[in-house]
Amino acid sequence: MASPTTATPKLAALRSLINNAGIGLALLFLIVIFSFSSEYFLTANNITNILTQITINLILAVGMTFVILIGGIDLSVGSVMAFAAVVAGKAITLPGFGDTELILLACVAGLGVGMICGLLNGVISAYWGLPSFIITLGMLNIARGAGLQVSNAETIYAFPLAFEEFGSMLIGGVPVVFIVALVMTLIAWFVLNRTVFGRLLYGIGNNEEAVRLAGHPVFWYKVIAFSISGLAAGFAAIIYMARLNIASPIAGIGFELNAIAAVIIGGTSLAGGRGSVIGTLLGAFIIGVLANGLILMGLSDFLRQMITGVVIIVAVILDHYRAKYSAS
Amino acid sequence: MTFTKIAASAAAAIALLAAPVMAQDKPVVGLVMKSLANEFFQNMMEGAEAHAAQRGDYELRAVGMQNETDFESQINAVENFITQGVDAIVIAPADSKAMVRPIKKAIAAGITVVNFDVALDADAKAQQGLELAFVGPDNRGGAKMAGDALAEALGAGGKVVIIEGNPSADNATQRRLGFEDAVAEHSLDLLDSRTAHWETEEANQVFSTMLTAHPDLQGVMAANDSMAIGVVKALENAGRSDIIVVGFDAIPAVLPMIEDGRMLASVDQFGQQMAANAIDLALEVVAGGPELEGWVTTPIELVTK
Amino acid sequence: MCSAVPDPNPVAAPDDILTVTGLKKHFGGVRALDGASFSLRRGEIHALVGENGAGKSTLIKILSGVFPHDAGQITLNGAPYRPASPHDAKASGLQVVHQEFNLLQHLSVAENISIEAMPRNRFGLLNRPEMNRRARVALDAIGLSDVDVRAPVSSLGIAHRQLVEIARALQSDSAILILDEPTATLTERETTRLFDIVTGIRDRGVTVVFVTHYLDEVFAICDRVTVFRSGETIITENIPDTTPQNIVRNMVGRELEAQMGAATAARIPGDVALSLKGLRVASDPNPAGVSLDLHYGEILGIAGLVGAGRTELLRGIVAADPVLSGTLECNGSAVHFKDPRDAIAASIAFVTEDRKDEGLILDMPIAANIALASMKDISRGGLLRFAREQQIAEEGGARLRLKCGSVRDPASSLSGGNQQKVVLAKWLARNPRILILDEPTRGIDVGAKAEIYAILRDLAAQGVALLIVSSELPELTNLSDRIMVMANHRIMGTVHRPDFTEEGILNLAYGQSDTSPIADLQIEGAR
């Protein structure tokens, strides 16, 4: 029988670390290259910049991880983020309230809009068993249109000062918004690895029928996974507003693809059932560091885009081999 | 996204079919807009609708696109207008080359066409044998006005960067050229020039990194105000109040920034009236006035404190 | 046993087509093959037998070019043979029908049969009539004239898919045809049909390698048998010179006690645990549905041919699939299950037919699989308790004599028999009062089978009600107190233990209580 000494959670953490070692090395490799090619790369200011820049993508990607783990995909996060931002922007610019009330109201509105969009994605795709690719593509259009409708295509601005301050606050050079996103990532890690819910999400991604026959409400678990992704989009909207002090209905175009890229580079399988948010965190870092470092190197926009594409493909190829070796 | 395009053109087609042209005396004007998701065009559209209501002597049919580069929907819209036999088409082309052929077709069908906002490509027009006037602002001249304002504040040798719009968009190119004209004329030192695809968040990220790479830069020229907002936020976060920013479009959100000095200037093209002016010109031709020729410039104005 | 060890350097007999000497293959630390030596003669049917994990599948994969061997020699027609790819192996005249199906579900039967060499017309386009004609010939050759070549494979039952796969392999001219457990999913009638075909191929001079778990099949059609154990070949014998007991002894290295065929002392059934009254599942053509009573402490077997509606009935009981009409009573009171969750809450456990698709989460640890249906037991407030999970997994594993390195290993690392034990352990962890099993020992070796039988008998003795569907008649006659026979979604009759005869059960299964099933089979075979 099994060796009785295995301290399981520690072991699991260790294993997840080893699994992510490859991508960690890739990140390290990028950092080394950029450090040599630009004197500014490793400056405190630039590190602050990178952390700020990956925040929104990280939040969206962590939410996306839940959906991809169950074998789904959420193409609507960029649009939902814009819709949530516009609604929250309308809320936060309402006349006749105090700042605290307005900020609270905006948070509730943004998170609520995001979660409802995610909930709809989940209910529709799970109830009818439809591919989430199509349902969330529909939601991408619905949310974008709704955002434009609500805002009349106008950028909303003039937010309470306290809200703006939160968006640009630093603690020891680390942006508060990044710390918030990191805490969210750790909570997601905890949920996925230490709770029944997380365990069953992995199970659904691997073998949905086995989980259903074991008596678990697969439908609701899927709905919750999509709701989490929507909630993350709402959360990203709040962070977006705090950082830029505007709410634009055309924000977040194409953000879903960056989020998916972070998740996949982080080693989560598009087929579901395998992956981790720690990988997603590293994936978001790779994308952020790459964008930042290539600008610092003075590469043209077009080359930069090409290199980012190459890195995504190489990451997935490497992951393919990693999965193969860990399987045998 | 193909899906988006199909949905958009389907919606446009349905809207058009639902309103067949009646035999009536009022001339019918088809207005083909660019992306209504863009605040600028949304304003322009509203201006045109108000204008139609005010004049009351013509019927306006307006079609907008899903995004800036969605010229397929525009081609469909033009063809639908031809089918309906409208009297005039007033169009802001999404692509300065792709729209030449459908416009030629409309003219051949006896429809008065007015090209506004973005000029059709001169070479493409020559190749297709199309002669058509352009009604619109001088994007390049406007950008140069903003660039000049920046240059005067900095003096010769000032170190600047440009935040460009979509690399393939004509107005983005014109504005970049206008900024570059100002750079050349005032002997500014252009350190870097990058696109942020008209987007606030991306401009914020791209500019933060440019600022790291060029901590000594003194001025920024952003090809639209959405991007200028991202730049201003990046400067605030970096604690830099010594860098001067100019934008373009004069959207309401930047007016307070110009007021309190976070931005030096922006350029107003009076977008709200632009479509309405083009419609006026088209109706004059329909009523038997002389054909338009060359470039009918519309007013632009530098907005400063 | 010395005499049984094969000569380390077998001299190639003149009629040997393939000789394997000292073949070794290691995967990491696992010695999948550790010195296999045997030879195949031209035009023989050669059985390879051994418990799961004994090395048969590894050998086949080496022969068919899936992966290379580490050490040893293979000669084919006197020349060294080391296929670089499955394609290479096929070109050398070696065809394999794999245990796992390699059919493309959404393509037609004809397309699947011709997939390797699609016929083209003179314009280079697909010649569909020719493709369908070839497929027809291939299917008729194995007596599958009832299958439409244009039907998609997904519309066929599991047995028919197996036969289509065989038809595809037989289509090309091969010198050696390897059949990897071809009868695992076949009914006896289909098996007989297959045997006739295989004998016919042998008589044409083709060498057929037959991998199977069923010794009666070995004795029915094979000429020689090679026994594998722990990655080594133990012995090669001529069939007339050996006995099933002999082979089993060589396979397991010990005498299998009377475990397998042990006549169970008659159990006295308790109260009715589960009562079906006219239960009609979605695929059931009979409006009357199915009625039966299952008692505590009894094992009720359900026999029948593939397609008789047995699996569908089980899935209907636990609400894995929708039920059209009829009622279900649990402990005497009517219940209505909306989904499997309700059935589980009523202390019913359902071990599915297909452990890979429906039973196991292969990539997950064994412990997670065992705990899958007992999440409440291994969590508090929604948080997992890993120590408790490990404890439950280890207890469950020990109870079923699960052989694994660690319960943290993925379920995919286990052999078929041990995987099945994990599925069983998952359900036994809930201490169900009613246990429903669909093909509980499919594809697992004799040793593991005997162990599972003992466990099931033990459960019945503890008062658990067991309902077992199996396509292996000896399994049902071994275990059951009663056997209900289904045909075409109807219960044709119930046979009690004292009256168990294969003939009687088969009669019912073929839906005809007068004619002899043997006659029926012969008519089938004569085609």
Side-chain angles (χ1 to χ4, degrees), chain A residues 40-41 43 45-46 49 52-54 56 137-138 140-141 148 152-157 164 167-168 170 240 242-246 248-253 255 257 291-302 304-305, chain B residues 1 3-4 7 36-40 42-43 46 66 164 167 192-202 204-206 208-216 226 229-230 233 236-238 251-257 262:
Chain A
Y40 299 110
F41 183 76
T43 58
N45 269 343
N46 195 50
N49 273 348
T52 311
Q53 287 166 12
I54 69 166
I56 285 179
L137 182 57
L140 177 153
N141 285 291
L148 289 163
N152 199 21
E154 278 162 17
T155 303
I156 301 166
Y157 59 100
E164 296 193 15
S168 44
L170 298 178
Y240 182 100
R243 274 192 51 213
L244 302 171
N245 305 319
I246 56 156
S248 161
I250 55 166
I253 291 174
F255 280 21
L257 299 180
N292 176 278
L294 292 175
I295 293 182
L296 287 183
M297 279 175 76
L299 245 70
S300 84
D301 289 331
F302 305 149
R304 196 156 62 90
Q305 197 167 3
Chain B
M1 290 262 138
F3 177 80
T4 319
L36 296 184
N38 184 326
E39 207 167 336
F40 179 74
Q42 179 68 26
N43 270 333
E46 282 166 7
Q66 285 276 335
E164 305 167 26
D192 203 353
S193 183
R194 288 186 181 278
T195 179
H197 301 100
W198 303 125
E199 232 271 335
T200 311
E201 158 80 6
E202 193 176 343
N204 181 271
Q205 298 196 7
V206 166
S208 302
T209 310
M210 286 164 100
L211 184 60
T212 305
H214 307 287
D216 53 342
S226 294
I229 293 173
K233 281 315 296 179
E236 282 176 14
N237 284 344
I251 65 171
V254 301
L255 300 181
M257 296 182 175
R262 284 179 288 170

Side-chain angles (χ1 to χ4, degrees), chain B residues 164-178:
Chain B
E164 305 167 26
N166 273 357
S168 54
D170 191 61
N171 52 348
T173 310
Q174 293 299 323
R175 289 176 194 182
R176 194 195 75 224
L177 292 173

Side-chain angles (χ1 to χ4, degrees), chain B:
Chain B
M1 290 262 138
T2 314
F3 177 80
T4 319
K5 278 181 191 161
I6 293 167
S9 34
I14 290 164
L16 294 171
L17 288 174
V21 178
M22 299 291 169
Q24 57 181 346
D25 350 328
K26 277 191 191 174
V28 178
V29 176
L31 174 62
V32 183
M33 303 286 297
K34 291 213 285 192
S35 170
L36 296 184
N38 184 326
E39 207 167 336
F40 179 74
F41 292 104
Q42 179 68 26
N43 270 333
M44 195 187 281
M45 174 91 146
E46 282 166 7
E49 278 164 356
H51 178 258
Q54 195 194 349
R55 268 185 69 146
D57 62 346
Y58 71 100
E59 187 193 333
L60 178 68
R61 293 200 191 147
V63 184
M65 305 301 125
Q66 285 276 335
N67 62 54
E68 297 274 345
T69 54
D70 186 11
F71 59 84
E72 281 175 42
S73 302
Q74 282 205 333
I75 293 176
N76 292 341
V78 170
E79 281 172 355
N80 287 333
F81 280 138
I82 296 173
T83 314
Q84 295 175 56
V86 297
D87 298 282
I89 293 176
V90 177
I91 180 168
D95 186 297
S96 57
K97 294 188 178 74
M99 294 313 295
V100 170
R101 189 185 285 272
I103 286 175
K104 198 183 167 207
K105 218 166 130 189
I107 292 173
I111 297 170
T112 300
V113 177
V114 171
N115 165 212
F116 77 108
D117 180 49
V118 173
L120 290 174
D121 186 76
D123 293 341
K125 275 199 284 190
Q127 193 203 342
Q128 298 273 331
L130 174 72
E131 280 184 34
L132 186 66
F134 169 60
V135 179
D138 182 357
N139 271 298
R140 186 168 179 169
K144 183 165 178 301
M145 282 164 67
D148 288 346
L150 180 67
E152 277 160 28
L154 294 177
K159 296 185 163 114
V160 297
V161 294
I162 298 175
I163 308 291
E164 305 167 26
N166 273 357
S168 54
D170 191 61
N171 52 348
T173 310
Q174 293 299 323
R175 289 176 194 182
R176 194 195 75 224
L177 292 173
F179 288 142
E180 286 171 5
D181 291 345
V183 166
E185 191 178 312
H186 300 275
S187 314
L188 295 175
D189 183 5
L190 180 62
L191 299 176
D192 203 353
S193 183
R194 288 186 181 278
T195 179
H197 301 100
W198 303 125
E199 232 271 335
T200 311
E201 158 80 6
E202 193 176 343
N204 181 271
Q205 298 196 7
V206 166
F207 178 73
S208 302
T209 310
M210 286 164 100
L211 184 60
T212 305
H214 307 287
D216 53 342
L217 73 82
Q218 296 167 289
V220 188
M221 299 182 273
N224 79 353
D225 282 343
S226 294
M227 297 192 292
I229 293 173
V231 169
V232 167
K233 281 315 296 179
L235 289 172
E236 282 176 14
N237 284 344
R240 299 285 296 265
S241 53
D242 55 324
I243 296 175
I244 300 171
V245 183
V246 296
F248 205 109
D249 287 344
I251 65 171
V254 301
L255 300 181
M257 296 182 175
I258 294 175
E259 198 55 41
D260 64 20
R262 284 179 288 170
M263 269 176 77
L264 175 67
S266 186
V267 178
D268 196 346
Q269 312 183 72
F270 304 101
Q272 189 131 20
Q273 289 123 54
M274 199 189 286
N277 289 343
I279 291 169
D280 279 340
L281 292 167
L283 288 172
E284 274 173 38
V285 177
V286 169
E291 292 284 329
L292 302 174
E293 272 175 30
W295 182 353
V296 184
T297 50
T298 54
I300 46 175
E301 189 179 286
L302 191 70
V303 179
T304 54
K305 189 155 102 177

